[in-house]
């Protein structure tokens, strides 16, 4: 897959079948839409293309907005690259781009610059100035320039209760830390990447040395506070390591700010300043205040036993 960051320079592109969207999370619904587009590209013997943006559109109009991303742009690129797609095009979401009507965007960007000849869009996707127009309008504009426009169906979970959407996934993660459901929605575990920074060494005092993880992106969604069973992937190592992670403010010690602490089981190496990715498997319990450090230590021993059993089964 070739990634293209679109700018003012002319890019010679082959005729393509494309889909467009923010694709935050690249979840099951996104994957099926991208698969539909790729199948259409094979049918038409054309290149396949995923078009996305360098930021969430809301960030352009409100610089203070933190979108709680399910995937950073780097993660999104990595996931899509494994789907057999020819091109990933990243559009800089600027005021000039936001001002284009849907018709002008389709003609100037999709047709003329990117050579999109067939466009496959999500069932509820809207683009163009103020997102004022819909699928029938896109079909009409496409007919005017010779572009076929198709629409994917609403993708439902197997139980038929909730549509697969980025907003539903965010709700599951932030309200109850439902990380165990993520393989159903994302087809993979939810993951968080950061670097290890210096902490207060409370874990060492309790006999559970922890590494403080500082996320690489301040916009990345942090699951609900609590203790989790996770896999840890340490920079420079090929193996994954079983670990337990605590997200919260350490109320037993009257903490006031959120920390992300990882205890990698049976690991004695130095993690300081290393890059670590944690892959969430299951939430063990919510965060709570313990009556004493001894009570907390006893709970941590129970947590460790539960983590070892859970990850052994996985």
């Amino acid at each position: 897959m070739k990634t293209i960051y679109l700018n003012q320079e002319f890019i010679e592109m082959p005729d393509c079948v494309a889909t467009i969207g923010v694709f935050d999370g690249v979840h099951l619904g996104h994957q099926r839409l991208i698969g539909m587009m790729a199948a259409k590209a094979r049918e038409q013997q054309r290149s396949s293309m995923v078009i996305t943006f360098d930021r969430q559109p809301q960030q352009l109009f409100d610089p203070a907005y933190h979108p709680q991303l399910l995937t950073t742009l780097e993660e999104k690129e990595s996931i899509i690259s494994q789907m057999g797609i020819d091109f990933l095009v990243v559009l800089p979401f600027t005021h000039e781009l936001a001002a284009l009507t849907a018709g002008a965007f389709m003609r100037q960007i999709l047709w003329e610059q990117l050579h999109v000849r067939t466009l496959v869009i999500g069932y509820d996707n809207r683009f163009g100035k103020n997102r004022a127009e819909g699928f029938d309008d896109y079909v009409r504009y496409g007919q005017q320039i010779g572009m076929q426009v198709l629409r994917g169906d609403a993708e439902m979970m197997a139980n038929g209760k909730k549509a697969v959407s980025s907003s539903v996934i965010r709700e599951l993660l932030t309200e109850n830390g439902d990380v165990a459901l993520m393989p159903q929605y994302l087809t993979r575990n939810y993951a968080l990447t950061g670097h290890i920074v210096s902490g207060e060494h409370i874990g060492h005092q309790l006999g559970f040395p922890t590494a403080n993880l500082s996320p690489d992106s301040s916009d990345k969604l942090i699951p609900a506070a609590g203790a989790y069973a996770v896999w840890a992937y340490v920079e420079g190592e090929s193996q994954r390591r079983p670990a337990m992670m605590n997200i919260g403010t350490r109320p037993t010690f009257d903490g006031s700010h959120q920390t992300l602490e990882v205890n990698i089981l049976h690991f004695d190496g130095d993690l300081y300043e290393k890059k670590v990715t944690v892959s969430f498997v299951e939430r063990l319990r919510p965060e709570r205040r313990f009556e004493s450090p001894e009570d907390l230590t006893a709970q941590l021993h129970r947590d460790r036993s539960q983590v070892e059993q859970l990850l052994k089964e996985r």
Side-chain angles (χ1 to χ4, degrees):
M1 185 184 80
K2 182 177 181 179
T3 300
I4 299 170
Y5 289 82
L6 195 67
N7 51 34
Q8 298 301 315
E9 297 179 11
F10 177 77
I11 300 173
E12 185 64 45
M13 297 292 297
D15 287 352
C16 294
V17 178
T19 186
I20 184 170
V22 174
F23 298 122
D24 186 28
V26 198
H27 57 59
L28 180 62
H30 295 148
Q31 292 172 34
R32 289 179 176 171
L33 180 66
I34 292 171
M36 175 182 173
M37 177 275 296
K40 184 60 66 173
R42 290 192 295 271
E43 177 186 313
Q44 297 181 4
Q45 296 185 325
R46 287 172 168 162
S47 296
S48 56
M49 177 186 291
V50 173
I51 304 169
T52 192
F53 304 96
D54 65 347
R55 72 192 82 179
Q56 292 272 358
Q58 298 97 310
Q59 291 177 282
L60 177 67
F61 305 104
D62 181 8
Y65 171 70
H66 288 286
Q68 291 200 305
L69 298 175
L70 299 173
T71 45
T72 63
L73 185 57
E74 181 182 1
E75 290 169 334
K76 193 186 304 183
E77 179 181 5
S78 175
I79 295 165
I80 293 174
S81 71
Q82 300 173 44
M83 300 179 67
I85 303 304
D86 296 311
F87 297 99
L88 173 66
V89 174
V90 180
L91 300 180
F93 197 82
T94 63
H95 287 285
E96 292 75 18
L97 186 71
L100 290 177
T101 63
F105 176 77
M106 290 176 66
R107 183 178 65 257
Q108 296 175 26
I109 306 297
L110 300 185
W111 181 265
E112 295 177 1
Q113 285 193 260
L114 298 179
H115 284 209
V116 176
R117 298 303 179 247
T118 298
L119 179 65
V120 182
I121 64 172
Y123 72 98
D124 61 350
N125 189 11
R126 287 176 176 266
F127 56 83
K129 184 178 180 180
N130 298 325
R131 303 178 68 193
E133 296 165 294
F135 178 71
D136 292 340
D137 300 300
Y138 308 149
V139 171
R140 186 173 71 256
Y141 298 143
Q143 290 172 342
Q144 293 170 2
I145 58 177
M147 181 190 299
Q148 182 184 27
V149 181
L150 305 173
R151 178 166 59 182
D153 296 327
E155 297 292 353
M156 301 296 291
M157 291 301 293
N159 59 20
K161 292 181 180 180
K162 284 190 176 182
V164 182
S165 71
S166 300
S167 58
V168 167
I169 294 169
R170 290 190 195 96
E171 180 182 324
L172 289 169
L173 290 173
T174 57
E175 289 194 0
N176 297 307
D178 286 327
V179 296
L181 294 177
M182 290 305 102
Q184 298 179 40
Y185 285 77
L186 297 174
T187 70
R188 63 186 185 279
N189 290 341
Y190 183 70
L192 181 66
T193 297
H195 282 75
I196 301 303
V197 298
S198 180
E200 298 178 18
H201 305 291
I202 292 176
H204 287 75
Q205 299 170 24
L206 300 176
F208 288 83
T210 58
N212 279 33
L213 186 72
S214 177
D216 287 347
S217 171
S218 61
D219 290 329
K220 180 78 173 182
L221 182 146
I222 307 298
Y228 292 86
V230 303
W231 291 109
Y233 297 82
V234 180
E235 181 182 30
E237 294 190 354
S238 58
Q239 69 184 63
R240 64 181 184 179
R241 293 183 176 273
M244 57 184 187
M245 182 173 190
N246 187 78
I247 298 173
T249 59
R250 295 180 292 195
T252 303
F253 298 95
D254 298 318
S256 59
H257 64 278
Q258 185 186 65
T259 60
L260 287 71
E261 299 175 290
V262 185
N263 174 236
I264 301 180
L265 308 186
H266 316 298
F267 180 79
D268 296 323
D270 183 11
L271 292 172
Y272 185 62
E273 294 187 342
K274 283 194 174 182
K275 185 176 182 178
V276 174
T277 297
V278 292
S279 175
F280 291 86
V281 176
E282 190 164 317
R283 191 187 193 207
L284 307 177
R285 57 179 173 82
E287 183 181 46
R288 69 181 180 89
R289 181 186 179 91
F290 291 87
E291 292 299 319
S292 68
E294 291 75 19
D295 288 343
L296 173 56
T297 300
Q299 180 61 58
L300 291 174
H301 280 286
R302 291 192 290 272
D303 290 344
R304 182 167 61 188
S305 296
Q306 188 177 356
V307 167
E308 289 182 325
Q309 185 62 38
L310 275 170
L311 297 184
K312 182 178 180 181
E313 294 171 353
R314 304 300 171 92

